[in-house]
Amino acid sequence: MAKKVLFIYPSGSMGVYSRSKISVAISSIPYISLASLAGAVLRAGHEAKILDLAVSSDYNKDVQEALASFRPD
């Protein structure tokens, strides 16, 4: 039976740069480690989703929406 797996990358220290000019250089691409893990889950026949909170402006809302819409196991 296929499972749904939600990977969450927490916001961490990226907020430190949010008010500086360096914020334009912050990537919105998920980190390769999360993409690698999600790829392994997909190859095993399961569903995977990555929620990257480093690029989120409202963490609580984004997590709640991901849980409600994707409904991970």
Side-chain angles (χ1 to χ4, degrees):
M1 180 157 119
K3 299 283 186 182
K4 290 183 176 183
V5 181
L6 176 62
F7 294 96
I8 300 176
Y9 185 80
S11 62
S13 63
M14 290 309 215
V16 171
Y17 302 109
S18 64
R19 293 189 181 132
S20 70
K21 291 181 182 178
I22 197 170
S23 66
V24 298
I26 297 172
S27 174
S28 62
I29 299 170
Y31 290 91
I32 192 70
S33 58
L34 290 181
S36 297
L37 290 170
V41 167
L42 291 171
R43 279 191 305 277
H46 304 288
E47 291 184 57
K49 181 173 182 159
I50 299 172
L51 178 60
D52 188 354
L53 296 178
V55 296
S56 173
S57 60
D58 188 346
Y59 314 127
N60 290 327
K61 179 180 145 239
D62 291 342
V63 169
Q64 292 300 320
E65 285 178 358
L67 292 174
S69 65
F70 188 60
R71 300 184 50 86
D73 294 308

